[in-house]
Amino acid sequence: MSDEQRMVQNTEQDQEWADLLSPTRRSFLVSAGLTAAGLTASGIEAEAQDIAVPQGFSFKPIVPPPDVGKSPWGYETYKEAVARPKSIRPGEESGLPKAPRAYTDIKSYHAHFYFDEDTYEKAALVRKWVIERFPVELGNWNLQPRGPHVTPSFYFGFTNDLLPIVVPWLQLNSLGLTILLHPNTDDPRADHLYYTLWVNRSQAVNAYGMPKSATVEKIFPNIKPTVKLEV
Ligand code: ZN
């Protein structure tokens, strides 16, 4: 192919793209959307006739055959009345809370670290650093969802006196992991859903079914630090 031929071809291709992106073409595309929404503008069809589909752009969608059978939900779900779910917010079962909760209701804290197949090495490194530095209660590696935690995780529990150290330390050493910090009170559901602090992005926690508990989670440190905390 000569340079001249190539130039001609390029010009044709360029024109094809220019047509695709031109205001006329765009107005056709927008109008096509309007047509699909039942808002046909006048004269659009006539214009559409003039625009040829560029070569190589035509395709036939492949769709699976329709399923044969009946809906397990029956055919009257549309009749169901709108219903307000029972409130799950603490103290709001009947309007707003009468008074604030005492902060001394918090007996201890958990820090849950979430990770996946791409971030497990970061989780392992932070976990190692924690083990070296803090007298905490360290849990197992959970490679499957466990309790209200819907992705792989590990946790450590700690006593209230460590909070002013653990929070800034995690802020600076999270390595970008999502970390749930929750207090332990007599209301585990609220502990996980409404009393939380998050380091970095939050993620779903399935604690909606957690009942209130007379006994508050206790912390029994199982780690003896070996490294002096950097200050
Ligand atoms: Zn926890």
Side-chain angles (χ1 to χ4, degrees):
M1 192 187 285
S2 73
D3 282 354
E4 200 171 312
Q5 280 174 319
R6 199 169 286 123
M7 269 181 67
V8 169
Q9 200 189 10
N10 282 352
T11 309
E12 281 168 3
Q13 275 181 5
D14 292 347
Q15 189 56 49
E16 210 164 80
W17 279 107
D19 288 346
L20 262 176
L21 304 173
S22 73
T24 313
R25 176 69 186 174
R26 282 168 58 182
S27 86
F28 165 63
L29 292 173
V30 170
S31 306
L34 291 176
T35 309
L39 301 166
T40 314
S42 63
I44 293 299
E45 275 81 1
E47 196 182 334
Q49 301 299 319
D50 301 339
I51 300 169
V53 176
Q55 261 195 337
F57 276 76
S58 66
F59 68 93
K60 214 175 172 201
I62 298 168
V63 292
D67 289 329
V68 177
K70 288 186 172 177
S71 166
W73 308 105
Y75 291 85
E76 300 205 336
T77 43
Y78 71 93
K79 288 184 181 171
E80 281 179 14
V82 174
R84 185 184 187 203
K86 195 170 171 290
S87 173
I88 53 169
R89 293 186 287 268
E92 283 190 32
E93 285 79 3
S94 50
L96 292 171
K98 307 267 179 298
R101 284 201 73 170
Y103 79 91
T104 46
D105 287 351
I106 295 175
K107 304 305 179 193
S108 62
Y109 283 89
H110 281 179
H112 293 269
F113 294 71
Y114 300 116
F115 58 89
D116 60 23
E117 65 271 38
D118 297 321
T119 57
Y120 72 98
E121 285 167 313
K122 291 180 178 178
L125 182 57
V126 182
R127 184 178 154 106
K128 177 176 167 289
W129 285 346
V130 167
I131 293 167
E132 290 170 345
R133 286 163 182 80
F134 296 105
V136 297
E137 181 178 62
L138 182 73
N140 302 117
W141 285 106
N142 300 317
L143 298 185
Q144 297 289 330
R146 181 162 167 177
H149 311 289
V150 298
T151 56
S153 67
F154 77 87
Y155 94 101
F156 67 80
F158 58 99
T159 45
N160 290 6
D161 56 314
L162 285 182
L163 186 72
I165 301 163
V166 165
V167 170
W169 192 89
L170 287 179
Q171 285 182 299
L172 299 190
N173 295 294
S174 70
L175 304 182
L177 295 173
T178 289
I179 304 169
L180 164 65
L181 255 163
H182 73 78
N184 290 309
T185 71
D186 62 353
D187 192 344
R189 187 181 63 184
D191 290 346
H192 290 83
L193 296 176
Y194 299 104
Y195 300 157
T196 56
L197 289 177
W198 289 88
V199 178
N200 299 313
R201 297 152 299 280
S202 63
Q203 69 172 47
V205 180
N206 185 9
Y208 294 93
M210 289 182 113
K212 278 206 175 189
S213 157
T215 54
V216 180
E217 188 111 6
K218 288 187 164 64
I219 299 295
F220 303 102
N222 57 3
I223 297 296
K224 284 201 171 79
T226 54
V227 171
K228 194 164 180 286
L229 190 63
E230 295 83 355
V231 291

